[in-house]
Amino acid sequence: MSKAFTGALDCKAIGTLNGDFLSPCVLTALDGGKAMLEALDVAGFDYVCLGNHEFDIGIERLASNLGHLQSCKVINSNVHNKELATLPKNAVVTVGDKTVLVGGFLTNDSFIYPPSMIPGEPRTFRLLYDMSHSRRAPPLFRFNGHH
């Protein structure tokens, strides 16, 4: 609904969902997330990022199912599995003379995953950059000389 008013208000609206867009959901347990992925497109989300429950269906099935999204982009800034390598690491949104960077970071707390569903091997599943001690943008997100 908000997107319909952006022209009149001279602004830009984007729809984001910060993980767990497939599961936990009873329907996903039955269809592997197909209906929830269709709902993302119908609802008009622009960007989603992976949450720990996306891996409930297994990484191969997750990667395969994500290919069915029509208009919603999955941003994957820090999961290094080869099955998800084609997902964009970020997106750039321009609003007037400002530039906004959209990232999607999954927690590296392996205790929230079932042992068989941990993304990546435990020794390689890590954040690309720990931003907790820095005010500067991580190297992955530097663009056009801005931080």
Side-chain angles (χ1 to χ4, degrees):
M1 179 86 157
S2 63
K3 290 181 183 182
F5 297 104
T6 58
L9 297 173
D10 191 29
C11 66
K12 184 165 193 161
I14 61 171
T16 63
L17 188 56
N18 300 319
D20 295 349
F21 54 87
L22 292 182
S23 195
C25 175
V26 173
L27 188 54
T28 294
L30 299 173
D31 74 355
K34 184 175 182 263
M36 294 303 289
L37 288 170
E38 289 175 10
L40 289 176
D41 280 327
V42 170
F45 282 99
D46 298 293
Y47 305 102
V48 298
C49 69
L50 300 170
N52 63 304
H53 286 292
E54 269 63 67
F55 296 89
D56 291 352
I57 64 172
I59 195 154
E60 292 83 12
R61 191 170 191 187
L62 171 63
S64 173
N65 289 354
L66 291 177
H68 299 291
L69 281 170
Q70 301 290 315
S71 60
C72 182
K73 291 183 183 175
V74 180
I75 306 296
N76 172 25
S77 301
N78 68 330
V79 178
H80 306 292
N81 294 73
K82 65 181 181 210
E83 296 90 347
L84 302 174
T86 61
L87 297 176
K89 293 190 181 331
N90 58 59
V92 176
V93 178
T94 302
V95 183
D97 65 345
K98 306 292 183 207
T99 303
V100 178
L101 189 65
V102 179
F105 294 91
L106 183 67
T107 180
N108 64 347
D109 181 356
S110 61
F111 292 106
I112 65 173
Y113 302 95
S116 64
M117 300 297 180
I118 296 173
E121 296 181 281
R123 66 183 178 280
T124 62
F125 180 59
R126 58 181 170 73
L127 293 175
L128 289 177
Y129 185 80
D130 181 1
M131 295 191 304
S132 63
H133 304 294
S134 175
R135 292 181 169 227
R136 295 174 51 102
L140 172 70
F141 290 114
R142 292 189 183 142
F143 58 99
N144 297 334
H146 300 285
H147 301 280

